[in-house]
Amino acid sequence: MSSLVSFVSAGPGDPELLTLKAAACLRAADVVLYDDLASGAILDHARPGANLVAVGKRAGRPSAKQEHVNRLLIDYAAAGARVVRLKSGDAGIFGRLEEEIEALRAAGIGYEIIPGVTSACVAAAHAGIPLTRRHTSRRVQFVTGADVAGQLPANLNWAALADPESTTVVYMGKRTFPALAAKLIEHGMAPDTAALFAESLGHAEQRLVRTTIAKLAEQLAQAGPATTAAVILFGALAGEYP
């Protein structure tokens, strides 16, 4: 397999959080297929003359079909182009990486994955908290708040998510967190469990809100349609270090 697609992780949006390898891949690319959240100043690292193709997916907005993205990756790589698939956050965490890898494998095209900084780590860092602590938070769990239809997944492990001694991070959960919080409380989590809402990480409009799961659920239930990316942290460490 002589063709190669580089899956490059862009982080949450701050170009200073790109890895050196990610920046080098962008400088070498002939074609960059990028997500909406992996655009802006991140694309300044692409070489002049590179073909920049928007293929992002955003809830409630017109988005590129996954089959179309797969076809572009295959066609560009088969034509001999150096292809970067630029994904927000870390490409391997809720980034639809599996579908694109499977398409490349079926087409006989090689690939590499360049890891990056996921928004859970950035949210915790900007809030001045760790994600773990030896005696009170020895487990971190990442969960998606949305299934393929944009609804709260039906098969979540509620006992694990309601564990007060873990740190839980919810991706893509702005619309579904009210229902998720209700299930957490139903399974024994205290309504005043600390929560951290982190929105637009790495951008000028970044916002961090320290609250509780019950109050955050109430606020999000009254909010309009989700238009910005956010992560929600709750559990043992979410409310510390105000």
Side-chain angles (χ1 to χ4, degrees):
M1 295 188 291
S2 57
S3 300
L4 180 71
V5 170
S6 298
F7 290 99
V8 174
S9 303
D14 182 350
E16 292 187 345
L17 293 178
L18 278 175
T19 65
L20 293 174
K21 189 166 186 178
C25 283
L26 284 169
R27 288 194 298 270
D30 299 312
V31 180
V32 179
L33 279 67
Y34 65 92
D35 287 345
D36 286 354
L37 296 176
S39 56
I42 298 286
L43 293 175
D44 291 344
H45 288 270
R47 70 170 179 80
N51 186 9
L52 307 180
V53 183
V55 293
K57 299 177 184 297
R58 295 290 292 274
R61 300 184 186 182
S63 301
K65 299 293 185 183
Q66 188 62 57
E67 295 79 8
H68 177 62
V69 178
N70 295 349
R71 187 74 257 162
L72 288 175
L73 289 171
I74 292 167
D75 289 348
Y76 279 123
R82 292 169 292 185
V83 181
V84 159
R85 176 66 174 100
L86 187 65
K87 290 179 170 286
S88 61
D90 179 272
I93 298 179
F94 303 123
R96 298 177 186 257
L97 180 62
E98 183 177 9
E99 295 95 325
E100 294 171 19
I101 284 175
E102 288 178 349
L104 293 179
R105 285 175 172 167
I109 293 172
Y111 64 89
E112 61 177 349
I113 301 170
I114 312 301
V117 182
T118 186
S119 55
C121 298
V122 178
H126 285 197
I129 61 173
L131 285 173
T132 63
R133 179 181 286 162
R134 284 179 294 171
H135 301 298
T136 59
S137 184
R138 289 178 286 190
R139 181 161 59 88
V140 180
Q141 50 193 357
F142 296 167
V143 61
T144 176
D147 60 16
V148 294
Q151 305 300 312
L152 184 67
N155 57 347
L156 296 176
N157 185 337
W158 294 110
L161 294 179
D163 177 5
E165 295 187 354
S166 68
T167 301
T168 302
V169 184
V170 183
Y171 290 73
M172 299 175 290
K174 287 177 70 174
R175 289 192 301 169
T176 60
F177 189 75
L180 189 150
K183 294 289 287 185
L184 292 173
I185 293 168
E186 179 185 323
H187 283 78
M189 178 163 270
D192 62 354
T193 298
L196 173 69
F197 177 76
E199 186 175 43
S200 299
L201 285 166
H203 298 273
E205 62 273 24
Q206 174 177 297
R207 187 166 71 104
L208 299 179
V209 178
R210 298 177 189 273
T211 182
T212 66
I213 61 168
K215 290 179 180 177
L216 179 59
E218 182 179 354
Q219 292 165 1
L220 292 178
Q222 298 172 356
T227 58
T228 55
V231 290
I232 299 164
L233 286 72
F234 62 85
L237 294 175
E240 303 214 5
Y241 311 103

